[in-house]
Amino acid sequence: VQLQASGGGLVQPGGSLRLTCATSGFTLDYYAIGWFRQAPGKEREGVSCISSKDGSIYYADSVKGRFTISKDNANVYLQMNSLKPEDTAVYSCGFSGGRGACALSTVIYSTWGQGTQVTVSS
């Protein structure tokens, strides 16, 4: 199982970025993937996740209406719009080996990819 996040960068408040979690070593349709972020001095927090079987999706309250998660055969995307300075963090994706619903808690994720830095600043 391998994951690699990309697409981060520096963007002004109100701007947009699209993150990509490239996956390999497993069939994406069978497993849940979550996007998480960690700001300096803070714990890792769940941002969004997409489940395997029914494709159910969850968002943190702080990003609802601004972020959209989606996937194709091998990638999971996080479209981030209306970015705010408080969205600044290292974003990473996690793989859950359980073939069930995803969650915004780190406990169900067993493998993490290298993160990508998102900085929202004017």
Side-chain angles (χ1 to χ4, degrees), residues 74-103:
N75 302 290
V76 180
Y77 305 100
L78 187 67
Q79 178 67 43
M80 306 187 297
N81 298 329
S82 302
L83 283 163
K84 305 175 181 180
E86 51 263 44
D87 294 319
T88 296
V90 174
Y91 286 70
S92 57
C93 47
F95 163 88
S96 172
R99 298 191 180 191
C102 70

Side-chain angles (χ1 to χ4, degrees), residues 16-74:
S16 298
L17 284 174
R18 188 194 196 202
L19 304 184
T20 299
C21 176
T23 73
S24 62
F26 63 99
T27 302
L28 183 55
D29 278 349
Y30 296 161
Y31 299 95
I33 298 291
W35 277 103
F36 289 74
R37 66 187 181 187
Q38 188 166 21
K42 294 187 177 181
E43 293 187 354
R44 181 179 284 175
E45 65 168 341
V47 175
S48 181
C49 67
I50 185 164
S51 302
S52 56
K53 291 184 178 179
D54 60 4
S56 55
I57 288 171
Y58 301 95
Y59 296 100
D61 288 342
S62 58
V63 307
K64 281 181 182 176
R66 301 189 297 121
F67 290 12
T68 303
I69 193 170
S70 62
K71 69 179 182 179
D72 60 22
N73 288 343

